[in-house]
């Protein structure tokens, strides 16, 4: 029967309900409490804006990026004591390297966030902040390794070989940043392949460090005792700082 024709005896309330409704509204008038919907990293506006901005900057500097990659193989492998006459490095190249390094730190921050979110971290409404902090952790790791590279080169070799090793550090980092583009985008927009992309990113990182270590070995290895120093370098610069950065990143994701 329509409610506007319902009489009092036919009202769908009992005496108990009438007493209850004098103190609070019935449940069907209150509705259902909404739950906070976790934001998908692939739809977060801050993350997408940061990726778009860096890709635009890379596109605007594509001429210098091409020039940089034309000499990157020499920076990765060459241990010549004298540079080629045409290997001149400009300030615009330095700017391009900085942009590509920022891209690397952003991609690493996103991948770390996706890695910890898959391991049971609580979904967050604010994604850009932990991603930025994770990227800052990876930037700190890079700066520490670069500082150690310069210090070790200054102590154990001459200026020319120290510069070669430092340029090798920049070369593997820039190349890694470009290589992580596809795994990062695939992990963001296709969650079903995130696990595979994280494994691929880890493999790419390991390969980049192996390339850099091989170049350092070619520069610094003189005799068998120097092998001991190189092992100490691997532990103190390559392994321990990486474990520390991973632990800090885990703590950041746990707190946010």
């Amino acid at each position: 029967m329509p409610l506007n024709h319902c009489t009092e005896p036919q009202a769908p309330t009992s005496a108990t309900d009438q007493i209850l409704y004098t103190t609070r509204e019935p449940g069907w008038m209150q509705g259902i409490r909404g739950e906070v919907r976790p934001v998908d990293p692939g739809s977060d506006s801050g993350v997408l804006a940061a990726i778009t901005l860096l890709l635009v900057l890379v596109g605007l500097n594509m001429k210098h990026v091409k020039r940089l990659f034309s000499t990157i193989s020499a920076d990765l492998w060459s241990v010549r004591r004298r540079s080629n006459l045409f290997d001149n490095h400009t300030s615009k190249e330095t700017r391009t390297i900085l942009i590509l390094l920022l891209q690397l730190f952003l991609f690493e921050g996103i991948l770390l966030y996706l890695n910890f979110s898959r391991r049971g971290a609580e979904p967050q409404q604010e994604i850009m902040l932990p991603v930025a902090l994770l990227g800052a952790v990876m930037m700190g790791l890079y700066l520490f390794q670069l500082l150690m590279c310069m210090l070790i080169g200054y102590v154990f070799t001459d200026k020319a070989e120290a510069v070669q090793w430092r340029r090798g550090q920049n070369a593997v980092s820039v190349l890694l940043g470009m290589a992580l583009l596809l795994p990062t985008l695939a992990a963001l927009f296709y969650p079903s392949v995130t696990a595979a992309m994280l494994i691929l990113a880890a493999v790419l990182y390991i390969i980049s460090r192996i390339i850099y270590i091989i170049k350092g070995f070619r520069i610094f290895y003189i005799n068998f005792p120097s092998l001991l120093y190189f092992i100490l370098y691997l532990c103190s610069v390559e392994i321990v700082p990486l474990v520390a950065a991973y632990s800090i990143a885990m703590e950041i994701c746990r707190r946010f």
Side-chain angles (χ1 to χ4, degrees):
M1 181 178 293
L3 292 178
N4 58 346
H5 296 291
C6 183
T7 61
E8 184 65 25
Q10 296 171 328
T13 57
S14 64
T16 304
D17 290 337
Q18 292 177 0
I19 296 173
L20 178 62
Y21 294 164
T22 58
T23 58
R24 64 180 183 180
E25 294 180 344
W28 52 267
M29 294 184 64
Q30 296 177 3
I32 301 176
R33 184 180 299 276
E35 296 182 358
V36 177
R37 181 177 65 87
V39 178
D40 184 8
S43 60
D44 182 78
S45 58
V47 174
L48 296 179
I51 293 176
T52 303
L53 176 61
L54 286 175
L55 291 180
V56 168
L57 290 177
V58 172
L60 293 175
N61 290 272
M62 187 55 65
K63 177 181 178 181
H64 306 294
V65 171
K66 292 180 179 179
R67 183 187 181 98
L68 179 65
F69 273 79
S70 66
T71 60
I72 201 168
S73 60
D75 292 334
L76 288 175
W77 299 107
S78 177
V79 291
R80 290 183 309 174
R81 296 192 58 83
R82 294 187 62 183
S83 299
N84 189 291
L85 178 63
F86 300 101
D87 291 344
N88 55 333
H89 307 292
T90 64
S91 59
K92 293 183 178 179
E93 180 184 294
T94 302
R95 181 188 65 191
T96 304
I97 290 176
L98 290 176
I99 294 173
L100 294 175
L101 288 176
L102 289 176
Q103 178 180 263
L104 168 65
F105 303 143
L106 175 62
F107 290 164
E108 289 177 332
I110 293 173
L111 291 169
L112 282 173
Y113 180 86
L114 293 174
N115 173 65
F116 291 118
S117 65
R118 288 181 57 84
R119 294 176 179 271
E122 293 294 330
Q124 304 293 329
Q125 287 299 302
E126 178 59 44
I127 294 179
M128 189 57 203
L129 179 57
V131 166
L133 291 176
L134 293 173
V137 170
M138 298 311 295
M139 180 188 295
L141 175 63
Y142 165 81
L143 292 176
F144 173 80
Q145 290 176 334
L146 183 63
L147 178 63
M148 290 298 100
C149 165
M150 297 170 63
L151 179 61
I152 294 172
Y154 175 78
V155 173
F156 292 100
T157 187
D158 56 22
K159 181 178 179 181
E161 292 181 337
V163 169
Q164 289 177 359
W165 203 32
R166 175 177 57 81
R167 291 189 62 83
Q169 167 78 345
N170 289 333
V172 295
S173 299
V174 166
L175 196 59
L176 178 62
M178 298 298 291
L180 289 180
L181 173 62
L182 291 180
T184 303
L185 295 181
L188 273 178
F189 300 117
Y190 299 95
S192 60
V193 300
T194 297
M197 293 301 102
L198 290 174
I199 294 174
L200 176 60
V203 171
L204 290 174
Y205 180 85
I206 293 172
I207 291 174
S208 69
R209 299 316 300 174
I210 289 176
I211 293 173
Y212 178 66
I213 291 170
I214 289 175
K215 180 168 184 177
F217 186 82
R218 294 174 62 195
I219 292 175
F220 292 100
Y221 181 77
I222 302 174
N223 48 35
F224 185 78
S226 63
L227 183 61
L228 175 61
Y229 291 108
F230 204 77
I231 294 174
L232 293 175
Y233 154 77
L234 291 177
C235 295
S236 59
V237 179
E238 295 292 341
I239 299 176
V240 174
L242 180 61
V243 173
Y246 188 85
S247 301
I248 295 172
M250 184 185 301
E251 184 65 19
I252 288 174
C253 287
R254 188 182 69 83
R255 290 181 177 274
F256 281 89

